[in-house]
Amino acid sequence: DDSTDTATATSESMGGGDYTADEQRVADFLQSEPADDTFQGEFIDATDQNEISVDVGADGNGGAFAFAPVAFKITTGTTVSWEWTGKGGEHNVASVEQSDFDFTNGDPKQSGDPYTQSFDDTGVGLYLCEPHESLGMKGGFVVVE
């Protein structure tokens, strides 16, 4: 399948030590303890999209305790839509201190409307699910021009 080959080649070219400084910040965060076991060193390239959806409660970290995609790259002005899967109990999306952006959807919930946020400046977004932080449920993204 050519699409699989293309996706793999793109992912490999963005992983394994070929990171920009901002991508390295995301990788370091995701690999720090407790590490997110869904991060395999790859970033989804969504720089050609106006919006990207992230599943909250995706498979990973010993259950439905992951964000998918876990790491991605977007351009300024892109909207990120975190969408609850209804699995894994109550989750939230909360930026961490090391993040260049301050954002949170508030109290943990199991389902409901997506949490959407647009990012108009370049930088790094680092976040986690507060109830499942100890399991490694975290995510990150890079915003470029």
Side-chain angles (χ1 to χ4, degrees):
D1 181 357
D2 290 340
S3 64
T4 303
D5 294 341
T6 303
T8 302
T10 302
S11 296
E12 286 173 357
S13 67
M14 294 184 72
D18 293 335
Y19 295 137
T20 65
D22 285 346
E23 290 167 348
Q24 188 64 57
R25 282 180 59 199
V26 171
D28 289 347
F29 172 70
L30 295 174
Q31 293 169 336
S32 66
E33 291 300 323
D36 187 299
D37 70 12
T38 66
F39 181 62
Q40 302 298 312
E42 300 173 354
F43 284 76
I44 299 299
D45 185 356
T47 54
D48 60 345
Q49 299 177 31
N50 294 327
E51 181 172 299
I52 183 171
S53 295
V54 177
D55 287 342
V56 180
D59 289 338
N61 300 306
F65 307 117
F67 295 102
V70 65
F72 54 93
K73 191 159 89 169
I74 58 176
T75 50
T76 53
T78 299
T79 298
V80 179
S81 179
W82 285 274
E83 301 182 7
W84 275 252
T85 64
K87 300 176 184 172
E90 294 188 338
H91 304 291
N92 74 340
V93 175
S95 61
V96 298
E97 190 176 313
Q98 309 95 295
S99 179
D100 293 338
F101 308 105
D102 185 17
F103 57 97
T104 181
N105 77 296
D107 292 332
K109 61 183 184 175
Q110 185 161 354
S111 62
D113 292 334
Y115 167 58
T116 58
Q117 179 75 41
S118 293
F119 296 92
D120 296 325
D121 296 316
T122 60
V124 172
L126 304 172
Y127 60 95
L128 50 76
C129 169
E130 291 169 319
H132 302 113
E133 178 179 4
S134 65
L135 300 176
M137 185 172 175
K138 46 192 173 179
F141 57 91
V142 175
V143 183
V144 297
E145 284 287 343

